[in-house]
């Protein structure tokens, strides 16, 4: 009992979030067979985090003053719409094939809430933020390194892995235009590209401003993730990286923009000479998009999707009930309208807007250049994640959805810590105002 109590005392939010990052090292196609798709380690860890967060909320005393937390409040409408849609679907009666996916959808949303809330309420100091961002950048760098090795060897390098009690369908290595589309430990190359685009801005923010660390630790993850993004042979990943870079560039000095632009040019030149044909493939992905079969299949599915929306426009047919056998959309926003209706789309957009606007505005209260750049990196990560959902159903994949809700929670924590620091200075360093909105003991 003493050992358990000591473990509980030293277990903080950063440790729990690190456990999620470690769980992402297990290939996403593996899950505990007895509980299906919810049995993926990353999802189970997030469910554990929700229980852990809830236990803390039940034990803490009621606060006399509760500060408004915009990002967390925007999570509430999303969860409310998911529940309303589920209840409506159950009252209407679902086909037997859709009942289990609807139940799994609720569990996945609960897992996202656990990840979001532990990040939002558990990160209480600037040190917590910096440590978490460093670990996320490291995880992204390792994922990128695995992808680069897969690209170079044309093998998954994971097929040998067998974990007792876990199984899954290993789909092999995907290719496009003769190049391997790496997936890392993700289920699909698109999910892998989404993870890269979400983690890259944080890695670049550290590379630019984390001057207390050596150049290898600073620039290594950023270079690996950027290289893997270029070699991912994914339109969505490249577009998201461009958007994220544009957001980050708005926070840089002119000198920093020149340095990063030069580094990017060198990287593209290296890819051009070291990987013959890759430059032409990347150009062809955009110039020939109109004739691409994958783009055509997405567009052809929109008519079916809009027909479903017309029947249930407000709360949709139920989260998780849009089966792949019905239609392939590869656009999460249209999928949200189908499953959660117009109210669901509004809730998702409001959550993203809050996750972008509030940390950007809070940057002016950051105590130093590193935390200011991390704020810009968090905004860029949320922006990149939001963009990738336009090109594939990212909420159906464990890693892309997990990393997205992780950075959304970090966005809310960044805003809360910034406000606490502002209150500290406003009252001359009063301890009572240091953390006016702490939610976890």
């Amino acid at each position: 009992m003493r050992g358990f109590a000591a473990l509980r005392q030293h277990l903080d939010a950063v440790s729990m979030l690190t456990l999620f990052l470690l769980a992402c090292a297990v290939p996403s196609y593996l899950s505990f067979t007895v509980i299906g798709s919810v049995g993926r380690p990353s999802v189970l860890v997030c469910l554990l985090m929700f229980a852990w967060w809830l236990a803390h909320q039940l034990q803490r005393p009621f606060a006399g003053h509760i500060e408004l937390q915009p990002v967390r409040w925007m999570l509430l409408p999303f969860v409310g719409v998911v529940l309303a849609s589920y209840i409506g679907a159950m009252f209407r009666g679902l086909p037997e094939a859709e009942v289990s996916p609807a139940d799994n959808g609720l569990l996945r949303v609960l897992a996202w809430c656990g990840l979001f809330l532990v990040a939002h309420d558990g990160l209480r100091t600037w040190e917590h933020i910096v440590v978490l961002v460093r670990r996320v950048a490291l995880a992204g760098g390792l994922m990128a390194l695995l992808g680069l090795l897969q690209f170079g060897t044309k093998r998954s390098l994971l097929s040998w892995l067998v974990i007792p009690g876990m199984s899954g369908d290993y789909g092999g290595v995907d290719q496009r235009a003769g190049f391997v589309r790496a997936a890392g430990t993700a289920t699909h190359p698109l999910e892998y590209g989404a993870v890269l685009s979400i983690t890259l801005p944080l890695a670049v923010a550290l590379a630019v401003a984390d001057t207390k660390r050596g150049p290898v630790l600073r620039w290594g993850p950023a270079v690996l993730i950027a290289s893997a993004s270029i070699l991912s042979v994914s339109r969505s990943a490249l577009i998201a990286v461009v958007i994220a870079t544009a957001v980050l560039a708005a926070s840089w000095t002119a000198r920093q923009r020149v340095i990063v632009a030069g580094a990017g040019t060198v990287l593209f030149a290296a890819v051009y000479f070291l990987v013959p044909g890759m430059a032409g493939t990347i150009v062809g992905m955009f110039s020939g998009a109109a004739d691409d079969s994958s783009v055509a299949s997405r567009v052809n599915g929109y008519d079916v999707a809009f027909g479903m929306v017309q029947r249930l426009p407000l709360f949709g047919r139920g989260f998780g009930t849009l089966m792949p056998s019905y239609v392939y959309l590869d656009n999460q926003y249209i999928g949200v309208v189908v499953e959660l209706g117009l109210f669901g789309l509004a809730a998702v957009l409001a959550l993203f807007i809050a996750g972008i606007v509030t940390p950007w505005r809070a940057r002016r209260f950051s105590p130093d250049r590193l935390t200011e750049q991390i704020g810009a990196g968090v905004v860029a990560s949320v922006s990149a994640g939001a963009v990738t959902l336009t090109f594939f159903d990212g909420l159906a994949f464990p890693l892309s959805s997990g990393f997205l809700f992780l950075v959304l929670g970090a966005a809310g924590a960044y805003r809360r810590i910034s406000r606490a620091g502002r209150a500290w200075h406003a009252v001359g360093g009063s301890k009572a105002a240091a953390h006016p909105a702490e939610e976890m003991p």
Side-chain angles (χ1 to χ4, degrees):
M1 292 297 293
R2 289 183 178 179
F4 178 78
L7 176 63
R8 185 181 180 278
Q9 183 178 0
H10 291 91
L11 193 64
D12 61 1
V14 177
S15 302
M16 294 297 291
L17 296 171
T18 302
L19 185 60
F20 164 75
L21 296 175
L22 292 174
C24 294
V26 179
S28 293
Y29 62 84
L30 290 178
S31 66
F32 290 100
T33 311
V34 294
I35 48 180
S37 60
V38 182
R40 292 186 172 96
S42 58
V43 178
L44 292 176
V45 169
C46 293
L47 289 172
L48 174 63
M49 280 195 280
F50 181 80
W52 187 70
W53 174 86
L54 187 61
H56 274 285
Q57 299 306 303
L58 294 175
Q59 294 175 16
R60 73 181 181 91
F62 288 100
H65 169 70
I66 299 178
E67 185 184 6
L68 177 65
Q69 304 295 335
V71 186
R72 187 173 62 181
W73 278 104
M74 288 301 102
L75 180 68
L76 186 60
F78 172 68
V79 175
V81 172
V82 170
L83 291 175
S85 179
Y86 179 84
I87 293 171
M90 290 304 167
F91 271 109
R92 288 192 309 271
L94 288 176
E96 185 177 353
E98 295 181 8
V99 174
S100 180
D103 294 339
N104 285 342
L106 279 184
L107 291 175
R108 284 190 288 124
V109 171
L110 196 66
W112 299 337
C113 289
L115 187 57
F116 175 96
L117 291 169
V118 169
H120 187 290
D121 297 345
L123 300 175
R124 294 181 290 170
T125 66
W126 287 120
E127 183 182 1
H128 286 168
I129 291 283
V130 172
V131 171
L132 176 66
V133 169
R134 285 173 176 169
R135 293 179 182 179
V136 171
L138 177 61
L142 294 175
M143 178 81 77
L145 178 60
L146 175 60
L148 291 173
L149 292 175
Q150 291 172 337
F151 181 87
T153 61
K154 297 185 178 181
R155 297 180 179 181
S156 78
L157 305 178
L158 297 172
S159 57
W160 60 270
L161 185 62
V162 177
I163 301 177
M166 302 186 71
S167 64
D169 296 327
Y170 170 64
V173 178
D174 194 11
Q175 293 192 8
R176 172 181 280 175
F179 292 105
V180 169
R181 300 184 68 189
T185 60
T187 310
H188 191 275
L190 286 174
E191 182 185 23
Y192 170 73
V195 172
L196 294 179
S197 64
I198 292 172
T199 56
L200 178 60
L202 299 176
V204 173
L206 292 176
V208 169
D210 197 3
T211 55
K212 293 182 179 180
R213 309 182 89 193
V216 174
L217 291 176
R218 287 174 58 193
W219 287 97
V223 171
L224 287 173
I225 299 171
S227 302
S229 299
I230 296 173
L231 298 177
S232 65
V233 202
S234 171
R235 274 185 297 262
S236 59
L238 292 174
I239 292 173
V241 165
V242 170
I243 296 296
T245 303
V247 173
L248 275 175
S251 68
W252 292 337
T253 63
R255 180 172 177 271
Q256 287 173 330
R257 293 190 187 109
V258 171
I259 292 174
V260 174
T265 302
V266 171
L267 185 60
F268 274 102
V271 170
Y272 179 82
F273 288 107
L274 296 177
V275 189
M278 176 57 72
T281 299
I282 293 175
V283 172
M285 285 192 302
F286 293 94
S287 62
D291 301 322
D292 194 315
S293 59
S294 64
V295 175
S297 65
R298 298 173 187 178
V299 175
N300 293 336
Y302 291 168
D303 291 337
V304 178
F306 290 137
M308 294 179 178
V309 173
Q310 289 176 356
R311 290 192 290 272
L312 297 165
L314 298 183
F315 290 99
R317 57 183 288 116
F319 188 68
T321 61
L322 183 61
M323 309 287 286
S325 57
Y326 297 163
V327 62
Y328 278 104
L329 294 178
D330 278 338
N331 185 316
Q332 186 63 71
Y333 294 108
I334 296 179
V336 166
V337 178
V338 173
E339 294 185 336
L340 298 178
L342 296 175
F343 284 131
L345 179 62
V348 169
L349 293 177
L351 180 59
F352 287 153
I353 291 171
I356 292 171
V357 173
T358 56
W360 186 264
R361 295 180 61 186
R363 289 168 53 249
R364 63 183 184 272
F365 304 124
S366 57
D368 52 38
R369 180 63 176 167
L370 174 58
T371 53
E372 189 271 338
Q373 275 297 294
I374 286 177
V378 168
V379 172
S381 293
V382 175
S383 302
V387 168
T388 60
L389 297 188
T390 308
F391 303 100
F392 86 119
D393 48 340
L395 296 183
F397 294 88
L399 296 192
S400 56
S401 58
F403 274 87
L404 180 54
F405 275 86
L406 173 60
V407 294
L408 281 169
Y414 186 93
R415 187 260 183 194
R416 178 172 51 78
I417 296 170
S418 297
R419 298 277 294 185
R422 180 189 181 190
W424 170 277
H425 290 294
V427 298
S430 170
K431 219 175 222 187
H435 296 288
E438 286 188 7
E439 301 295 339
M440 300 182 70

